[in-house]
Structure formats: C-alpha cells, structure tokens
Amino acid sequence: GHDASTPPGRGQQGTGAPGRGHSGRTAHQAQASRDVGTCPPGDLVLSLFAARYSYPAHARPQFQVDVVSTAPGTCTFALGAGHVQLLIKAGGIRRVWDSADCARPAGPQPARLAKGVPAVLMFTWDRKTSVPGCRLPRRLARPGTYTATAYSGRMSSQSLIFVLRAPGIGVP
C-alpha cells in the first residue's frame, strides 16, 4: 500500500518553520516572485535565541536563528546550512563547533522575506567539537561556559552565553 498524499522519495525533512512553504500562491504572486531582488546585506538582521541558558549533561543545546529584512517590500535571502551558520566558542575565544563544518553541501534555498517578518532556522548542537571538513576525531565538549553566534557572510547576530553542566550536578 502506498499513501497517495506523499510522493515517493519525499521525506519529512525541512529546515524552516511550518507554514512557510510555497503552497497557496496565486499565479500573480508567482510572477511577482521572479522580480524580487536579493536582500541587501545592510538591510538584514540576524537574531539568535536559545531554548535555555543551562543544559544538563545529556541535553543537546538548541538554537533558533531569525533572519529579518528591514528593506521595504519583499526580497530574497539564501537560507540553509551553507548560508547561515552557528559558531560555538569556549570562553568566547576558542572555536569549538561550527554548523558549517559537517553540513552536507546544499544549494541555496531562497526565502522570500517581507519587511519585519522573520525566516526561522533551527540548530541543534550534538555537544561535540568540529573542524572544517568534518575531520575526526570529534570530541565531546567539556562542561563549562560557551558562547553561540549566528553568522552569514559578514553579518552576525548577538552572542549568547550558555552553560553545559557536568553529570551528577544537581540544580535547584
């Protein structure tokens, strides 16, 4: 039995927030999208949010990156692993992990941004170190204080501080 509502080979993968797909566009909107230009970098704002400040020993830190255009009208911005990255540093200095290190290459995923309406990307860190090219070994990050920053080209978000806790430490 094959479910006719899901074409073969189409999984439930996705990087954006639900409800931001291309369904429901009229022919007029589709025509307009061809004329939409790329968002000027100076008109984009990256904002970073963390699910929590402190993560217990086996919890994976989760982060949300909002990309917002301040340009009038609608413009496009390439979302996806190769275009928006999350960088984690120990003590704000030493590079520990970069989402781009082990990301599978993917073509640009152009998102249409209307002024003030965020496009949302989610990142989960597996608490292991990484280096460019995803070379091994990938070591487990030690308990301590870290900073996370989202970036795209020369743009970056504010940095967030978060804590990885050691096993067996109780927290009120």
Side-chain angles (χ1 to χ4, degrees):
H2 178 74
D3 181 0
S5 67
T6 305
R10 295 282 172 102
Q12 292 295 320
Q13 291 181 320
T15 55
R20 295 191 187 272
H22 296 292
S23 62
R25 272 198 195 161
T26 65
H28 175 73
Q29 287 173 313
Q31 175 61 41
S33 71
R34 291 192 198 112
D35 303 329
V36 171
T38 303
C39 299
D43 290 339
L44 290 169
V45 178
L46 296 182
S47 300
L48 179 63
F49 305 94
R52 55 201 298 177
Y53 168 74
S54 182
Y55 293 87
H58 300 291
R60 293 181 169 198
Q62 292 185 313
F63 302 92
Q64 175 180 317
V65 178
D66 287 5
V67 183
V68 177
S69 169
T70 59
T74 303
C75 57
T76 61
F77 176 74
L79 291 175
H83 301 279
V84 179
Q85 289 96 12
L86 186 70
L87 175 65
I88 293 178
K89 293 181 177 181
I93 302 164
R94 187 172 52 83
R95 179 191 192 282
V96 175
W97 180 80
D98 188 319
S99 63
D101 288 344
C102 297
R104 290 183 212 93
Q109 300 164 8
R112 294 185 60 179
L113 298 180
K115 183 176 182 176
V117 180
V120 177
L121 286 165
M122 300 301 294
F123 291 91
T124 300
W125 179 34
D126 64 4
R127 296 176 74 130
K128 292 181 181 175
T129 61
S130 70
V131 295
C134 204
R135 292 189 305 275
L136 298 176
R138 295 191 62 217
R139 295 185 171 87
L140 205 56
R142 295 180 179 173
T145 303
Y146 293 83
T147 59
T149 310
Y151 65 96
S152 178
R154 294 182 180 169
M155 293 183 300
S156 66
S157 70
Q158 80 284 14
S159 293
L160 288 182
I161 296 172
F162 66 99
V163 175
L164 296 183
R165 292 202 306 265
I169 296 177
V171 172

